[in-house]
Amino acid sequence: MGKEKKRGSFSGQLGFIMAAAGSAVGLGNIWRFPYLAAKDGGGVFIVCYLILALTFGFALLTTEISIGRKTRQSPLTAYKQIHPKWGGIGILACLVPTIILPYYCTIGGWVFKYLSVYVTGQGAAASQDGYFTSYIISFPEPMVWMLIYFAITAFVIICGVEKGIEKFSKILMPILVVLVIGISIFSLTLSHTDASGVTRTGLEGLKVYLIPDFTGMTFKQLMIVIMDAMGQLFFSISVAMGIMVTYGSYARKETNLMSSINQIEIFDTGIALLAGLMIIPAVFTFAGIEGMSAGPGLMFVSLPKVFSAMGGIGAIVGLIFFLIVSFAAVTSSVSVMEAIVSSIMDAFHLTRKKASVLVTIYTVIAGIIVCLGYNALYFEVTLPNGTIGQILDIMDYFSNNIFMPLVAFLTCILIGWVVKPKVIIDEVTQGKFKFQRKTLYIIMIKFVAPIMLLILLLQSIGLF
């Protein structure tokens, strides 16, 4: 108990669920999920995502949380305890949040900027063409907002596991859910007649979002949708980046892991679906199918235009929306930073304060470089998957397209074939709790998940 007290732990099952759900519900759900759903045919993407969440996502989430609780260690040291020769997975798993944190805080700064715009009643300005681009290439405002955003993240981490992460998550997550549900319902009530006399409604947008349409879809296109859904799962459930190993290490031994994992899955998937429900019907109503093809710019370019088109109520909706995104972003960046801080504490036996200071110095320097990537350090490079990127895009590509699938693939090999699934099954069933979907877990971790991850990895480097 002394060691657990020193590392910190969640007060109970509710604290663990809220913190893990807070990590899972971030920009990946609110920003990335809706634009991928819009890009990949709405309902087709959602069907693929739900199937993968209940199989592939379940297997990875169960594995990482169990590894964390079994070893009572963060990723940098946990994998070595599972098997001495496989400690390299821990290094890769720790590298992922280290790459992600600076650019996540940069994007978090963009969210805070837009929140401030709506708080001060300047939403109409944000809807103008070129507003977002002119902001990110400016100096030094993006850096200031990035630092403000990071300061909040670091404050929560320094406060510790129970008094910081758990308390913060327990307050924000219920508020987040209420706000998301409220805006989702409002989105469905919208109606708009464009200049050509065509009237579109939120309910029509709901059909576009939820009803699968496989008409004319080739096998190759379906594979792209499946791979997009798989990639989204990494963000949505925070796997392959050391976070769930870290949070699992703070879960008490009497916690019912399977019950917790089921609730995290439901919470996360529900918020992801509601995020799409907030955004896609509204964008469809005011901008049609064409407006839904904005890609990553959906939140910062298309949505301000939608809020502006709503009239007076748009300013309030925009304010609530960016408040929701701010809450979701901070709960996730807290988990990303905690994975790094906890790893340093466990590997080098430093105090939380000292580890946090080291991570702060690195993040501030790297975050400024990311911001300058749109200004003084701007350049373009073609990535192996064919996209054109700058500094932020390069970091995003390596963390999400290379290291995350690689960490997940190696974890499947380690658990499925080297130490065998029994290691995880024994941890889940500790305390005589039942392991629902045990057979599914074994099949996924040994056979299905490794093959899918290998395909995703090959696709990411342009070989598939």
Side-chain angles (χ1 to χ4, degrees), residues 36 47 285 387:
L36 282 176
V47 168
T285 300
T387 59

Side-chain angles (χ1 to χ4, degrees), residues 145-429:
W145 283 113
M146 180 273 294
L147 291 172
I148 292 170
Y149 178 90
F150 175 68
I152 294 172
T153 301
F155 174 75
V156 176
I157 293 300
I158 290 170
C159 286
V161 178
E162 190 174 337
K163 293 181 180 178
I165 299 167
E166 181 179 335
K167 188 176 180 181
F168 182 74
S169 300
K170 279 183 174 178
I171 293 170
L172 282 196
M173 292 312 293
I175 298 171
L176 179 70
V177 172
V178 172
L179 292 177
V180 169
I181 291 172
I183 296 294
S184 298
I185 293 170
F186 173 77
S187 184
L188 297 179
T189 67
L190 295 171
S191 178
H192 175 70
T193 303
D194 63 21
S196 61
V198 176
T199 300
R200 289 182 296 268
T201 67
L203 287 174
E204 290 172 344
L206 177 65
K207 290 179 184 177
V208 173
Y209 176 47
L210 292 181
I211 298 175
D213 182 7
F214 293 94
T215 307
M217 180 170 283
T218 65
F219 177 75
K220 184 177 180 181
Q221 289 171 328
L222 180 61
M223 284 301 296
I224 290 171
V225 175
I226 292 171
M227 289 301 116
D228 279 351
M230 269 185 65
Q232 174 60 28
L233 269 170
F234 288 120
F235 287 94
S236 288
I237 57 176
S238 295
V239 292
M241 53 183 88
I243 292 169
M244 287 304 169
V245 175
T246 302
Y247 278 12
S249 74
Y250 298 143
R252 294 181 182 271
K253 285 293 183 182
E254 59 267 25
T255 297
N256 183 337
L257 284 191
M258 192 47 52
S259 172
S260 301
I261 288 163
N262 290 339
Q263 290 176 66
I264 293 165
E265 277 187 299
I266 292 167
F267 206 114
D268 166 71
T269 305
I271 291 292
L273 291 172
L274 284 170
L277 201 57
M278 280 196 304
I279 294 171
I280 291 177
V283 173
F284 175 82
T285 300
F286 290 94
I289 294 289
E290 298 77 20
M292 291 168 57
S293 62
L298 192 66
M299 188 196 303
F300 298 109
V301 179
S302 297
L303 277 174
K305 293 182 185 297
V306 169
F307 298 144
S308 179
M310 288 178 184
I313 191 71
I316 298 170
V317 175
L319 171 61
I320 296 171
F321 174 78
F322 280 105
L323 187 64
I324 290 169
V325 180
S326 297
F327 284 178
V330 175
T331 55
S332 286
S333 59
V334 161
S335 66
V336 174
M337 183 172 177
E338 178 62 19
I340 311 169
V341 168
S342 181
S343 289
I344 293 172
M345 289 169 64
D346 288 341
F348 304 104
H349 309 292
L350 296 180
T351 63
R352 173 169 291 274
K353 188 175 180 180
K354 287 180 180 177
S356 298
V357 168
L358 287 174
V359 176
T360 295
I361 293 169
Y362 156 74
T363 307
V364 168
I365 294 170
I368 289 172
I369 291 171
V370 172
C371 290
L372 288 174
Y374 293 98
N375 191 293
L377 300 179
Y378 181 83
F379 63 88
E380 290 185 352
V381 63
T382 302
L383 297 168
N385 60 359
T387 59
I388 306 296
Q390 297 83 39
I391 292 175
L392 187 150
D393 302 297
I394 293 168
M395 294 173 76
D396 180 72
Y397 172 77
F398 277 101
S399 60
N400 305 337
N401 295 57
I402 304 296
F403 293 127
M404 284 162 67
L406 184 59
V407 167
F409 174 74
L410 292 173
T411 299
C412 288
I413 300 302
L414 171 63
I415 300 301
W417 297 97
V418 180
V419 299
K420 304 298 168 59
K422 189 177 183 298
V423 171
I424 301 300
I425 293 167
D426 287 348
E427 185 62 33
V428 171
T429 54

Side-chain angles (χ1 to χ4, degrees), residues 23-99:
S23 168
V25 178
L27 288 176
N29 288 57
I30 309 275
W31 174 39
R32 203 168 184 268
F33 186 94
Y35 88 70
L36 282 176
K39 177 180 86 71
D40 290 332
V44 178
F45 175 84
I46 288 171
V47 168
C48 293
Y49 179 84
L50 289 175
I51 293 170
L52 287 170
L54 293 171
T55 54
F56 174 80
F58 157 75
L60 293 182
L61 188 62
T62 301
T63 300
E64 294 202 2
I65 289 174
S66 299
I67 287 173
R69 195 179 73 166
K70 179 178 178 61
T71 61
R72 315 304 289 168
Q73 293 286 296
S74 44
L76 193 57
T77 46
Y79 284 91
K80 193 172 183 179
Q81 284 201 18
I82 295 294
H83 194 290
K85 294 182 179 180
W86 286 72
I89 302 177
I91 296 171
L92 286 174
C94 190
L95 186 60
V96 173
T98 304
I99 297 171

